[in-house]
Amino acid sequence: MPNGPTQVGHRAEFEELLGTVAPVAYKVAVRLARNPDDAMDLLQDATVQAYKGFETFQRGSNFRAWFLRVLTNRFLKSKSRRVLETVPIDDAEDIYLYRKSQELGEEGNSPDPAGLLIDRLDVEAVQDALDRLPDEFRTVAVMYFMNDFSYEEIADILEIPIGTVRSRLHRARKLLQKALWEVGVSRGIVQEATSGV
């Protein structure tokens, strides 16, 4: 491509738009890739791909959603070469944290023993629990819980129906409860019942 005035303007526009989404994109990349080094690689790859395809971006539309779609697609493409993760969803019930907390009896007569456990977990512990989720569920959970994206934004970024976003988020919540409990146990915040429950 010649480096004429149009190309220079194109690049300046891209860099300006990228600057507005870079912090959010990096946070999403870290959550997807699970470590800062891989996140930087992912972000660089997505930036190169987005710049190459910048002419497909419709001016006036949501650049953040467009760029995060590129980022997510690059992540999923890199993961497609790996073995797909399978997770038994049925063994995680909707009130898993509540039931496990009640079984321990540590919380007395609290109406929200699960809430008491969550209050003891720091941000790092919650992120650790998120990292334990399989990619398809972790992706929507990160976008929803960590970045406050709406269902519509997530659907747009991932190019999936809103119903699929809701379904994955519902399953992610179930799996996240189990992961939060496991993190709480591994960090000594709660003690597993000796009955093997």
Side-chain angles (χ1 to χ4, degrees):
M1 239 185 226
N3 198 15
T6 305
Q7 184 64 20
V8 171
H10 219 55
R11 180 176 177 170
E13 180 186 7
F14 178 79
E15 288 176 354
E16 181 181 341
L17 289 168
L18 182 63
T20 65
V21 300
V24 170
Y26 178 71
K27 284 177 22 182
V28 170
V30 168
R31 296 286 33 106
L32 293 176
R34 296 183 176 157
N35 74 64
D37 292 336
D38 289 344
M40 285 305 295
D41 290 344
L42 174 60
L43 191 54
Q44 269 186 329
D45 182 37
T47 300
V48 168
Q49 291 302 313
Y51 184 69
K52 286 180 181 177
F54 189 53
E55 70 275 355
T56 66
F57 172 67
Q58 294 180 358
R59 304 312 189 267
S61 64
N62 187 340
F63 182 79
R64 180 177 80 160
W66 180 82
F67 184 79
L68 290 176
R69 182 182 312 126
V70 172
L71 178 83
T72 304
N73 286 341
R74 298 308 297 170
F75 171 73
L76 295 174
K77 184 175 182 182
S78 72
K79 297 294 286 182
S80 68
R81 295 184 195 108
R82 301 178 190 168
V83 177
L84 290 175
E85 300 171 80
T86 57
V87 176
I89 303 296
D90 296 336
D91 69 344
E93 59 188 300
D94 288 331
I95 58 168
Y96 184 85
L97 274 179
Y98 181 83
R99 185 181 56 78
K100 293 295 279 185
S101 297
Q102 285 290 74
E103 286 173 3
L104 290 181
E106 288 182 355
E107 312 308 337
N109 295 325
S110 171
D112 187 13
L116 293 174
L117 167 65
I118 291 171
D119 288 344
R120 292 187 207 157
L121 299 173
D122 59 13
V123 172
E124 185 179 306
V126 174
Q127 289 176 345
D128 185 20
L130 278 168
D131 287 345
R132 294 174 185 226
L133 301 181
D135 292 336
E136 69 178 307
F137 304 117
R138 184 166 40 89
T139 302
V140 296
V142 164
M143 290 180 178
Y144 186 78
F145 295 121
M146 304 295 283
N147 295 294
D148 296 324
F149 291 152
S150 68
Y151 290 165
E152 292 79 11
E153 288 173 310
I154 296 169
D156 188 34
I157 291 165
L158 297 178
E159 297 181 312
I160 58 176
I162 290 178
T164 303
V165 171
R166 287 186 175 125
S167 173
R168 288 183 187 176
L169 193 54
H170 176 73
R171 291 177 178 170
R173 282 184 177 116
K174 291 172 74 168
L175 292 171
L176 187 57
Q177 287 188 56
K178 192 168 187 179
L180 286 167
W181 182 262
E182 291 167 358
V183 167
V185 169
S186 71
R187 292 180 179 224
I189 295 169
V190 294
Q191 301 296 318
E192 277 283 27
T194 56
S195 64
V197 181

